[in-house]
Amino acid sequence: MGKFRKKSAVSQSIPTAALPDIIFILLFFFMVATKMRKADPKVVINEPIATQIQGIPETMETIDLFIGKPKDATKYGSAPLIQAGDKFIKPAALRTYISSAKSKLPRTKQSPGKIIINIKMDEKLPIGILIDVKQELRKMGFRNLNYTALKQTEQ
Amino acid sequence: MAKKRKSKRPTEEVNSSSMADIAFLLLIFFLVTTTIVNEKGVRFVLPKKVENLTEDLKIPERNMLKVLLNSSNKMLVGGQVVSIERLKGKTKAFLSNRGKIKTLSDSPEKAIVSFKADRGSDFKTYLMVLDELKSSYHELRADYLNITNGEYLKLDPMDAEENALLKQAKAEFPATLSEAEPNDFKQ
C-alpha cells in the first residue's frame, strides 16, 4: 500500500450551486399544497371528528361560514356568533351576505347547485344557531353543506 | 499596474451562493402567510324548502326510522334509547331489511331515516350521529360494490367509470336521510 499524501490544492468548500434548486422545490411544494385563506376566523373553532370525510369537488365553489364564540370576548361578548367574511352577522343577514359572496364567483358557478356552504363550527356549541342558519339557507335554495371535520384516525 | 497572467484569472461564474438565501426568504414568506386550509368534512344536503305542510305524506311506520337527539345528547332510535355505538348497526339492519322483519323497512328505496336534533344538543354529538348515519349508507353501498368504505369515499364523480359505480350503488341504496323540520320551541 502506498503512503497517504496530504492533498494540498483541493478546495474544502461544499458546492452550493444546487441549494437554490432544492429550496425552490420546497417553495413550489408549499405554494401548491397550501391555499390562501379568504378570511381569518375571529371565533374559536375546535373542529369535531368524523369518519365519513369527503373533500370538496374541484368543480364546486365554496362559501365559508364560521360559527363559534368570539376570540375577543371583551369586545364581542361570549355568546356564539356567525362570522361571514370579516363580519359577525345575524342569521337574517345571511341572505345579503350569500348573494354578495355569490356575485364574486365566476359567472358560470353562481347557481346554488354549484355552491357548497362550508360550515366551520365549534364542537362544543349547541346547534340552535346552526338550525337557524340551515333554515335560512333552505329558504334561499342553498342546500349543499359541508361541515368541516377532522378525520378520525383508526385505532 | 501589474500585468495579468492568464493562469491566475478567476473563474467566470456568477456567484450564486446568495440565491439560496433569496429562495429561503420566499419560502419563509409563504410558510408564514399561508395556512393549510382544511376544507374536508362531512357533506350534507338539506331537504327542499316545503311551502305548505298541509299535505300529510303517508309513510308506513315500518319504513321510517326516527332518530331523535335531545339536549342532553341522548338518542332515541325508533322509540328506544340507543347508544351511539349501536346506531350504525340499527340503521344498517333497518335499511337492508328488505321486508324480512315486520317492524323494519320494506326495501332500501322506501326506507327513510329521519333525523331530528334538539337546539340544545351540541355540535359534536350532532355531527357524530350524522356521521354514523352517513356511514351506514356508505358501508351498505361499499358492500354492494365489493369495496371498502375508504375506497367508496374516494370514488370520484368526475371520473366516468367511478361515477357509474357511484350511480349504481346509489340506485341500490338511495340516501333518503332527511332532517325533520325543527319545532319552534325554545329550551
Side-chain angles (χ1 to χ4, degrees):
Chain A
M1 286 274 166
K3 269 189 225 161
F4 285 105
R5 246 200 296 160
K6 213 180 181 184
K7 287 175 193 167
S8 53
V10 178
S11 76
Q12 298 278 309
S13 65
I14 306 161
T16 54
L19 197 59
D21 302 347
I22 297 164
I23 308 299
F24 267 118
I25 290 170
L26 269 172
L27 177 65
F28 288 138
F29 168 76
F30 274 96
M31 283 171 72
V32 171
T34 60
K35 208 173 177 180
M36 288 277 193
R37 197 177 272 181
K38 287 170 216 155
D40 257 338
K42 289 180 191 164
V43 289
V44 183
I45 290 167
N46 291 313
E47 286 168 1
I49 291 168
T51 56
Q52 306 300 305
I53 301 273
Q54 282 175 304
I56 289 168
E58 277 167 24
T59 49
M60 305 281 270
E61 291 290 335
T62 58
I63 295 175
D64 289 341
L65 291 177
F66 303 102
I67 303 172
K69 289 181 179 171
K71 282 176 185 165
D72 191 353
T74 50
K75 202 170 169 188
Y76 303 108
S78 60
L81 292 172
I82 306 161
Q83 185 195 342
D86 291 330
K87 281 184 232 137
F88 291 122
I89 58 164
K90 293 238 151 44
L94 264 175
R95 183 177 287 269
T96 24
Y97 172 71
I98 300 262
S99 56
S100 78
K102 192 179 80 172
S103 63
K104 284 175 196 147
L105 296 175
R107 187 145 302 166
T108 52
K109 292 188 171 172
Q110 290 191 359
S111 74
K114 290 195 171 125
I115 296 169
I116 291 179
I117 309 292
N118 191 25
I119 295 178
K120 291 187 188 209
M121 182 165 167
D122 190 83
E123 61 175 18
K124 289 206 178 67
L125 294 179
I127 60 162
I129 194 164
L130 180 69
I131 289 177
D132 296 339
V133 169
K134 284 196 291 193
Q135 287 300 88
E136 205 57 41
L137 289 173
R138 276 178 71 195
K139 275 188 218 158
M140 286 181 267
F142 287 90
R143 290 166 52 218
N144 294 313
L145 298 187
N146 179 56
Y147 300 123
T148 311
L150 300 172
K151 195 165 177 68
Q152 186 169 41
T153 44
E154 299 289 324
Q155 277 139 4
Chain B
M1 288 269 168
K3 263 192 223 164
K4 275 180 194 167
R5 262 199 285 161
K6 246 193 179 170
S7 57
K8 289 237 167 149
R9 191 186 277 173
T11 47
E12 286 166 3
E13 228 177 79
V14 180
N15 187 5
S16 64
S17 59
S18 58
M19 189 79 152
D21 301 348
I22 296 165
F24 255 125
L25 276 178
L26 272 171
L27 175 66
I28 289 161
F29 171 74
F30 269 92
L31 276 177
V32 171
T33 53
T34 62
T35 38
I36 297 177
V37 180
N38 172 28
E39 278 200 329
K40 288 185 173 177
V42 180
R43 295 252 298 280
F44 187 68
V45 180
L46 293 176
K48 276 200 188 102
K49 185 76 195 163
V50 188
E51 292 306 327
N52 47 344
L53 279 168
T54 45
E55 261 182 79
D56 242 352
L57 283 171
K58 290 265 185 307
I59 299 161
E61 192 101 328
R62 63 182 294 188
N63 283 334
M64 181 106 131
L65 185 72
K66 283 182 185 160
V67 180
L68 300 166
L69 183 66
N70 75 0
S71 58
S72 53
N73 301 317
K74 293 277 185 328
M75 225 179 354
L76 206 61
V77 180
Q80 289 169 300
V81 180
V82 166
S83 65
I84 187 91
E85 292 83 29
R86 287 182 55 221
L87 175 64
K88 199 196 281 181
K90 279 228 162 205
T91 318
K92 280 171 82 170
F94 164 75
L95 289 172
S96 59
N97 182 49
R98 294 176 202 279
K100 271 176 268 163
I101 300 167
K102 279 269 155 62
T103 51
L104 302 177
S105 76
D106 284 323
S107 68
E109 296 92 65
K110 284 181 187 161
I112 292 170
V113 177
S114 161
F115 176 32
K116 190 164 174 178
D118 188 271
R119 293 180 70 92
S121 55
D122 58 87
F123 186 56
K124 187 184 178 181
T125 323
Y126 169 79
L127 197 70
M128 216 191 274
V129 174
L130 196 64
D131 193 46
E132 289 294 303
L133 293 177
K134 281 200 84 165
S135 86
S136 322
Y137 279 106
H138 289 168
E139 279 179 16
L140 286 173
R141 285 179 189 168
D143 281 351
Y144 174 73
L145 295 174
N146 269 327
I147 55 176
T148 65
N149 183 243
E151 284 168 338
Y152 176 80
L153 290 175
K154 285 204 186 89
L155 287 181
D156 181 13
M158 289 296 110
D159 185 291
E161 211 171 287
E162 290 182 3
N163 194 29
L165 279 178
L166 266 178
K167 274 201 175 139
Q168 202 186 335
K170 278 183 184 166
E172 188 65 21
F173 291 102
T176 34
L177 171 59
S178 92
E179 211 170 30
E181 289 285 330
N183 293 343
D184 276 331
F185 61 81
K186 302 268 182 284
Q187 329 89 279

